[in-house]
Amino acid sequence: LLPLFTFCLFRFGGKLTFAYILIEYIASLIGITYNLGIFSNLAKDQDYILLAFNLSLVVTFFIVNLIYESRRKALKVIKESERKYKNLFEENPDAIIIHFDMKIKFVNKEAVKLLEANNADELLEKPILGIVHPEFTDIVKKRINNILKSKRKNELLEEKFITNKGNTIDVEAAAYPIEIDNKIGGQVIFRSILKRKAIEKEVIKIYPIGRVK
């Protein structure tokens, strides 16, 4: 059984697997039945026992390989999904922040750019409320609690963020619950509305509210 054990060892990372237990069980069962003479009425010599044992090994190898292939394919699908999500996360035109325990854990390129950081490391582990303008701290706290407790998304909200350089930026942000390793956090998606605000101001100058033609 040593070759079979070695096979399971390399296939499944050193764990005493179901496959190896099954092999031992089959081998033990055949040995016991042979010693008790159960096969005496079915065969007159040991060739039948040897044939049965070899067939059991073939079947067991097949089962082991089937389990391994199913696991390998499942892991491949998971890794591919993770790769696609990572690409979408990094290259998304909107800024994205993921936070757990009220601290920033992941940021994409656009978030680094809008928050005027030199790199992602300057933002990681920073309190999520540290980027929120004091005027919006209370409402953002309520929105975070809504995500963590009810696991419901927060609709778009115009608010202000504070960049790493201390500048205030107008943003439009939405937040969604996200679960990683059985922990619930928040995924904040936001974009700058500076240009839109500038256009609105120009429009108001040209067409003041309450102006009569």
Side-chain angles (χ1 to χ4, degrees), residues 107-122:
V107 293
N108 70 348
K109 295 177 182 178
E110 188 63 17
V112 172
K113 178 182 175 181
L114 288 184
L115 294 175
E116 297 183 313
N118 293 318
N119 51 61
D121 290 338
E122 291 185 357

Side-chain angles (χ1 to χ4, degrees), residues 130-198:
I131 66 169
V132 179
H133 193 280
E135 292 179 11
F136 293 88
T137 298
D138 290 339
I139 190 171
V140 170
K141 283 183 180 178
K142 292 179 181 178
R143 284 164 68 86
I144 291 175
N145 287 333
N146 178 58
I147 288 176
L148 300 180
K149 293 181 180 179
S150 66
K151 297 181 182 180
R152 295 180 180 178
K153 69 175 184 178
N154 290 324
E155 301 297 337
L156 284 172
L157 173 71
E158 289 188 12
E159 51 186 299
K160 296 179 185 292
F161 282 174
I162 305 296
T163 72
N164 261 24
K165 294 181 178 180
N167 297 319
T168 300
I169 57 172
D170 293 305
V171 299
E172 188 176 58
Y176 304 82
I178 186 171
E179 184 174 346
I180 298 178
D181 295 333
N182 297 319
K183 292 183 65 176
I184 300 297
Q187 179 174 254
V188 183
I189 302 176
F190 62 99
R191 65 184 63 168
S192 173
I193 55 174
L194 181 63
K195 292 182 180 179
R196 195 183 79 190
K197 288 285 188 180

Side-chain angles (χ1 to χ4, degrees), residues 31-185:
I32 291 171
T33 53
Y34 178 71
N35 291 330
L36 291 176
I38 294 176
F39 284 99
S40 60
N41 295 326
L42 300 176
K44 295 181 179 180
D45 52 40
Q46 295 182 4
D47 292 341
Y48 183 86
I49 302 300
L50 184 60
L51 176 62
F53 180 71
N54 288 332
L55 287 175
S56 70
L57 293 184
V58 172
V59 172
T60 304
F61 264 115
F62 175 77
I63 293 173
V64 171
N65 193 62
L66 186 63
I67 294 172
Y68 172 77
E69 288 299 321
S70 298
R71 181 182 175 186
R72 185 183 65 81
K73 290 179 180 178
L75 289 174
K76 184 178 180 181
V77 171
I78 292 173
K79 288 182 179 179
E80 182 64 17
S81 297
E82 289 178 346
R83 184 186 66 80
K84 289 181 179 179
Y85 177 80
K86 185 176 181 180
N87 288 339
L88 288 173
F89 177 81
E90 286 294 340
E91 304 302 329
N92 199 300
D94 288 328
I96 304 176
I97 290 176
I98 295 177
H99 62 85
F100 287 92
D101 300 323
M102 301 299 288
K103 290 187 177 180
I104 298 173
K105 300 297 182 179
F106 304 98
V107 293
N108 70 348
K109 295 177 182 178
E110 188 63 17
V112 172
K113 178 182 175 181
L114 288 184
L115 294 175
E116 297 183 313
N118 293 318
N119 51 61
D121 290 338
E122 291 185 357
L123 298 172
L124 299 183
E125 297 302 325
K126 187 174 182 177
I128 185 62
L129 294 177
I131 66 169
V132 179
H133 193 280
E135 292 179 11
F136 293 88
T137 298
D138 290 339
I139 190 171
V140 170
K141 283 183 180 178
K142 292 179 181 178
R143 284 164 68 86
I144 291 175
N145 287 333
N146 178 58
I147 288 176
L148 300 180
K149 293 181 180 179
S150 66
K151 297 181 182 180
R152 295 180 180 178
K153 69 175 184 178
N154 290 324
E155 301 297 337
L156 284 172
L157 173 71
E158 289 188 12
E159 51 186 299
K160 296 179 185 292
F161 282 174
I162 305 296
T163 72
N164 261 24
K165 294 181 178 180
N167 297 319
T168 300
I169 57 172
D170 293 305
V171 299
E172 188 176 58
Y176 304 82
I178 186 171
E179 184 174 346
I180 298 178
D181 295 333
N182 297 319
K183 292 183 65 176
I184 300 297

